């Protein structure tokens, strides 16, 4: 396979980012895009399908793409992916919070039956640091993994509220569909950015499994505070707690703390910490401590370690990644190159749709755990 | 009150530290010490009681001290404090993990009846940073508090194991009595260093109360790994998980994550994070972010904030504290000056025995929560 024909479903903020990067990789030949909010003039050299509900189907039937990128609003992901798979396409699927339990089951079944690949596009798996830490862990540098921390800590109030303090009202942005979850649900809405790298690093779904989940929610005050400042309607009832903490335990005895923190003012962070019997890495601080190597009880800057354990993805594609993908420090580009390498049967893509199904199941389970104030056994 | 006559029960590592500092504060007139392991020659100018069980009683009856410092092994704290209170002495009481539920109830009752003060010596309450953050929070700089994190993260394997890898075998150290908890119990053994400042800063036990507690334990592998390295007996069964995470929820909707992490290699840390509707402070990183003041989404160094919100304790005693108490960066000295100021009826000591009773109750509750895999309601 020298080239793959590509189509897009969903050309919002995220779709556009991926589109721009793909244009720099000759392997991906983009034929068409489908998005109801799109103007054909935006991409004059590509076929554009923007006539509502059936646009995607029309596009698939007309162009028969081999691979479809799906970056539509969350609630359409599974439906769009199923449509593609039923047309024999491979799928590159954007991540999200899970909307319901077992939502990917029909897609997994259908993809297996049709022999189609579904590649989850969780870009945080592909950062230089996370991949280097994966190497360190695989080579035993941190010892046996005991405790891990991660999360999605990103102030989204500007995205969720418009300038007058209304939720879900910023036109043509994810505000519109993402905002409503905050009014109706309480749980970890977006677990994958934090959890996926932790699972990859510790081999969860490979050599260990998540057994228990318990989630906790703080009160909800951050959004209301901002609504007040903007002069908006303070009668709005926000359901989502400002900070959701989810504790996970694996069969092997690893504890994972996962945080969802999107309605308070703060610099963004994925808050990574990987702690084992021989050392500990803290991603936010870019610090590492390895017993017997680091000076006694002193943090070291992690940069030389990250270089020494550089993943072959980054050895191969790192330079061009940093040049072409400044916006996301190369991780999106490396992810797309990994996708290319898998489609060419050169290097297996490191994660599967079943991984995504596990990660996103945190959302519905966390809502149940918070609502019913109980620990959930995920292996029942 | 110009002077207070002082005695000591317990002259181990911690007792000696306090003793040395008290000698620099003329208000405290040390008369006598009781410790079965002590040589009188160590302190030639002080009466020394080292004849076993009844030494403390003998000392109290002979010297009638007004204030007694108790730094004996944990299991004697309450017994020794009761003895002092029944002799009409005020007590300065070292902290520890709680050994059982309601262990301080008889002491609280007796101290109230006899009009004696019992001052908990939790020194982390008195660091310059924590007291400045208390001021910031009281003045509303961080907004409404939503989420807090803290913990005791301190590799104690060198203390708990001797050079041949035996637990609890370092002679004349706390190893002897502290080690056995690791063999027999699983819970947050030492909650106060992390929790006490969080409670002080958020006004818990004043304007809010801890309602729920759930604890989680990782596997136990750190101690065994070290025993193996030292060539010790690897048949030893360590009960305590390497990392214990305790989630607390307050009536007011604050979430607190507390960590106990003492058997893995790492630089020590209290891991503080205080997050509110207007900003966030991270103690380990010495970083702060205040909405509308800090550059957009950028951490600031906290040093100028700590200076601007310097607590009056530190304005008054900070310079001498840093000179006299290099070992603990001034916090022990400031604590002792706060004790002096309370005894002189000048400034109320900021915490009470009832606070200590709450903080230390985390230990037995966490053991129950881990053992029975359930959430505990502390207000039942």
């Amino acid at each position: 396979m020298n080239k793959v024909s590509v189509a897009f479903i969903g050309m919002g903020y995220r779709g556009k980012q991926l589109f721009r990067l793909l244009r720099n990789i000759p392997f991906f030949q983009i034929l068409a895009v489908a998005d109801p909010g799109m103007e054909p003039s935006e991409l004059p050299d590509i076929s554009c399908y923007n006539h509502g509900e059936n646009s995607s189907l029309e596009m698939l039937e007309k162009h028969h793409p081999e691979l479809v990128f799906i970056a539509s609003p969350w609630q359409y992901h599974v439906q769009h992916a199923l449509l593609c798979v039923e047309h024999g396409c491979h799928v590159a699927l954007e991540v999200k919070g899970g909307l319901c339990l077992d939502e990917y089951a029909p897609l997994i079944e259908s993809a297996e039956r049709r022999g189609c690949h579904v590649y989850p596009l969780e870009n945080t798996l592909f950062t230089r640091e996370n991949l280097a830490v994966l190497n360190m862990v695989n080579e035993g540098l941190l010892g046996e993994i005991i405790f891990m921390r991660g999360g999605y800590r990103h102030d989204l109030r500007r995205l969720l509220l418009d300038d007058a303090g209304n939720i879900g009202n910023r036109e043509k942005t994810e505000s519109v569909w993402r905002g409503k979850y905050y009014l109706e649900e309480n749980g970890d809405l977006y677990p994958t950015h934090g959890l996926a790298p932790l699972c990859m690093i510790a081999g969860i779904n490979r050599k260990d499994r998540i057994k228990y989940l318990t989630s906790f929610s703080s009160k909800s005050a951050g959004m209301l505070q901002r609504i007040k400042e903007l002069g908006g309607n303070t009668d709005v009832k926000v359901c989502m707690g400002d900070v959701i903490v989810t504790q996970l335990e694996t069969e092997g005895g690893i504890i994972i703390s996962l945080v969802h923190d999107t309605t308070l003012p703060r610099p963004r962070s994925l808050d990574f910490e990987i702690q084992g019997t021989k050392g500990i890495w803290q991603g936010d601080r870019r610090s590492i401590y390895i017993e017997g190597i680091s000076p006694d009880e002193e943090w070291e800057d992690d940069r030389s370690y990250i270089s020494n354990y550089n993943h072959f993805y980054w050895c191969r594609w790192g330079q061009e990644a940093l040049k072409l993908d400044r916006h996301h420090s190369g991780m999106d580009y490396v992810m797309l190159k990994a996708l290319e390498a898998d489609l060419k049967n050169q290097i297996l893509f490191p994660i599967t749709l079943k991984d995504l199904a596990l990660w996103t199941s945190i959302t519905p389970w966390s809502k149940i755990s918070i609502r019913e104030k109980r620990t959930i056994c995920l292996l029942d």
Side-chain angles (χ1 to χ4, degrees), chain A residues 29-264:
Chain A
Q29 298 287 306
I30 308 175
L31 307 174
V33 304
D35 187 309
M38 228 192 132
E39 295 302 321
S41 57
E42 290 178 54
L43 296 166
D45 59 333
I46 308 280
S47 302
C48 172
Y49 294 77
N50 63 356
H51 305 294
E53 284 285 304
N54 288 317
S55 287
S56 308
L57 178 62
E58 202 188 326
M59 178 181 76
L60 295 179
E61 288 179 344
K62 198 109 157 222
H63 295 274
H64 304 290
E66 292 162 286
L67 171 68
V68 181
F69 279 79
I70 295 175
S72 49
W74 292 352
Q75 64 271 28
Y76 301 118
H77 279 191
V78 173
Q79 171 191 330
H80 285 150
L82 268 170
L83 186 72
C84 294
V85 165
E86 293 302 333
H87 281 78
C89 311
H90 301 307
V91 171
L93 186 57
E94 257 303 324
V95 294
K96 58 157 180 157
L99 299 182
C100 57
L101 291 175
D102 286 325
E103 61 187 322
Y104 291 113
L107 183 58
I108 291 170
E109 187 278 321
S110 180
E112 277 174 3
R113 186 164 37 81
R114 303 290 305 242
C116 296
H117 293 297
V118 179
Y119 301 98
L121 299 181
E122 176 42 66
N123 56 15
T124 63
L125 291 161
F126 297 93
T127 70
R128 184 162 183 257
E129 295 76 29
N130 290 342
L131 285 167
V133 172
L134 169 67
N135 277 349
M136 290 179 207
V137 169
N138 286 343
E139 295 187 29
L141 190 73
L142 297 180
E144 200 175 331
I145 298 303
I146 304 291
F147 177 65
M148 303 193 293
R149 185 149 85 185
Y152 186 61
R153 310 189 75 175
H154 184 181
D155 178 7
L156 298 179
R157 292 170 307 155
R158 223 171 289 179
L159 180 151
L160 296 167
L161 297 170
D162 68 12
D163 296 342
N166 304 301
I167 295 180
N169 205 38
R170 269 200 201 284
E171 267 182 63
K172 287 200 176 191
T173 69
E174 61 188 294
S175 160
V176 179
W177 50 268
R178 196 165 182 155
K180 80 173 175 53
Y181 296 114
Y182 287 75
L183 297 175
E184 293 166 7
E185 301 186 354
N186 193 13
D188 185 331
L189 195 58
Y190 202 58
T192 63
H193 271 7
L195 183 59
L198 301 181
C199 287
M200 173 178 72
I201 287 166
I204 288 166
N205 255 9
R206 304 289 187 279
K207 56 185 188 186
D208 197 0
R209 297 191 298 172
I210 294 177
K211 188 166 182 189
Y212 294 112
L213 172 154
T214 321
S215 294
F216 305 85
S217 166
S218 77
K219 66 182 148 190
S220 175
M223 202 98 93
L224 204 66
Q225 163 105 7
R226 174 56 74 90
I227 291 171
K228 221 180 278 175
E229 285 163 14
L230 294 171
N233 173 16
T234 54
D235 291 340
V236 158
K237 290 272 169 291
V238 178
C239 187
M240 181 84 65
D242 288 318
V243 176
I244 312 289
V245 178
T246 297
Q247 292 296 337
L248 303 167
E249 289 180 58
T250 73
E251 273 189 314
I254 298 174
I255 292 277
I256 305 171
S257 281
L258 192 67
V259 179
H260 184 260
D261 161 17
T262 60
T263 45
L264 295 172

Side-chain angles (χ1 to χ4, degrees), chain A residues 4 6 22 25-30 67 69 336 339-340 343:
Chain A
V4 64
V6 170
L22 285 183
I25 306 176
F27 177 71
F28 297 101
Q29 298 287 306
I30 308 175
L67 171 68
F69 279 79
L336 297 174
L339 179 50
E340 175 186 3
L343 285 166

Side-chain angles (χ1 to χ4, degrees), chain A residues 314 317-326 329-331 333-334:
Chain A
W314 276 83
W317 308 314
Q319 268 195 317
E320 61 205 58
L322 290 173
K323 212 160 40 187
L324 293 167
D325 179 19
R326 290 225 180 84
S329 309
M331 63 182 170
Y333 184 82
V334 169

